[in-house]
Amino acid sequence: DDAFETGVAAADDEVDRGADLLVLAARDETLAPAVAVGLLTGAEPVALLPRGARAVDSRAWIEQAGHLRDARRDVAALRHAPAQLLGSLHSLALAAATGFLLRAVTRRTPVVLDGAAALAAALLCYEVQPRAGQWWRVSDSSVDAVHGRAVEHLLQPPILGLDASSGDGVAGLLAVPVVNGSYTESGIMLHQRIHIGLAVALEDGLIVPIIRDADEKNLLGLARAVNDLSIRARSRRLKPDETQGGTFTI
């Protein structure tokens, strides 16, 4: 409930500050997005796992298929009870994303979706309000089978076809350049470089360190940057200039 309400509050805050378009970038390394997408679309667990060159470890692949099948079986009875299903998945990221999306629809604000977790949240919202889909667009395609299955079910062709959507916000920014801008006295300034502000929760509030030139990093580079900044933010070891100059915050 707390995570869901956090998502609701985040959407309210952005809209109240004048946002006309939102980007929801969500990542969840657990099985929750795959379980939700599989159950809500009817996809078999094996159809949501990596294939070909991305599935080099056969033993790990088989083990993951078993875990996914078991997790889906545990919540199968909740197929038509999205609120209970969301609670049973025990995913804070998915709960926050779902709350964010539902609130954005209520506030009649369009959202660009980035990442499999964001799409899983969209499917859960669709179960509650089928007409909500008219307020969403998918930022980009992805090699992630979970992402692909969700896109097919939502009948939402991605804006881009770069296979770059991973839930880090970069694909969302590339899909909608105008959100990577800021308002000045002279009008809207569109930034040519992408410096993503990463909101990190602290015991006494939030701090927003900056991932500079995020669009030039690969997925491993972004993951390392997120991990490094998060650790140093929570240990109070950031330099002053590492929290300045962001062009977009997630």
Side-chain angles (χ1 to χ4, degrees):
D1 288 347
D2 288 345
F4 183 90
E5 292 302 326
T6 297
V8 170
D12 274 335
D13 182 58
E14 293 298 330
V15 177
D16 289 343
R17 289 194 293 170
D20 295 318
L21 176 66
L22 302 172
V23 174
L24 174 60
R27 300 183 73 172
D28 186 340
E29 302 302 330
T30 73
L31 289 176
V35 173
V37 170
L39 183 62
L40 296 176
T41 67
E44 289 297 322
V46 293
L48 301 175
L49 296 177
R51 295 278 183 172
R54 300 181 63 242
V56 295
D57 188 336
S58 298
R59 180 176 297 179
W61 190 93
I62 293 172
E63 183 177 340
Q64 187 176 16
H67 290 325
L68 182 54
R69 184 176 291 107
D70 292 343
R72 174 176 168 169
R73 183 173 57 244
D74 290 342
V75 298
L78 303 175
R79 166 64 181 84
H80 299 291
Q84 292 90 329
L85 173 59
L86 180 60
S88 297
L89 292 173
H90 304 295
S91 167
L92 298 180
L94 197 54
T98 303
F100 185 94
L101 270 181
L102 281 175
R103 193 58 169 180
V105 170
T106 302
R107 300 291 300 268
R108 303 179 68 82
T109 305
V111 182
V112 175
L113 306 173
D114 182 0
L119 287 167
L123 288 176
L124 286 163
C125 292
Y126 184 82
E127 292 296 310
V128 177
Q129 176 51 267
R131 298 184 65 182
Q134 65 183 313
W135 294 96
W136 310 324
R137 287 297 305 273
V138 179
S139 63
D140 193 11
S141 55
S142 173
V143 295
D144 185 346
V146 176
H147 183 286
R149 179 60 179 172
V151 169
E152 291 177 6
H153 193 77
L154 289 170
L155 300 177
Q156 286 271 1
I159 297 172
L160 303 176
L162 304 176
D163 287 345
S165 181
S166 62
D168 53 31
V170 174
L173 291 176
L174 293 174
V176 190
V178 73
V179 300
N180 188 45
S182 55
Y183 184 79
T184 69
E185 293 182 356
S186 302
I188 295 176
M189 176 185 294
L190 299 182
H191 302 291
Q192 299 302 310
R193 301 172 68 183
I194 298 178
H195 302 322
I196 293 182
L198 176 70
V200 178
L202 305 178
E203 292 183 0
D204 55 352
L206 289 174
I207 191 170
V208 186
I210 308 301
I211 302 175
R212 301 196 181 279
D213 296 312
D215 56 318
E216 297 181 0
K217 300 181 185 298
N218 58 24
L219 295 183
L220 179 58
L222 285 169
R224 287 174 173 169
V226 169
N227 185 59
D228 172 62
L229 289 173
S230 298
I231 291 174
R232 290 195 291 116
R234 294 190 175 103
S235 61
R236 315 283 182 169
R237 292 187 289 113
L238 289 175
K239 300 175 182 177
D241 62 353
E242 290 182 304
T243 60
Q244 301 173 3
T247 62
F248 187 79
T249 299
I250 60 176

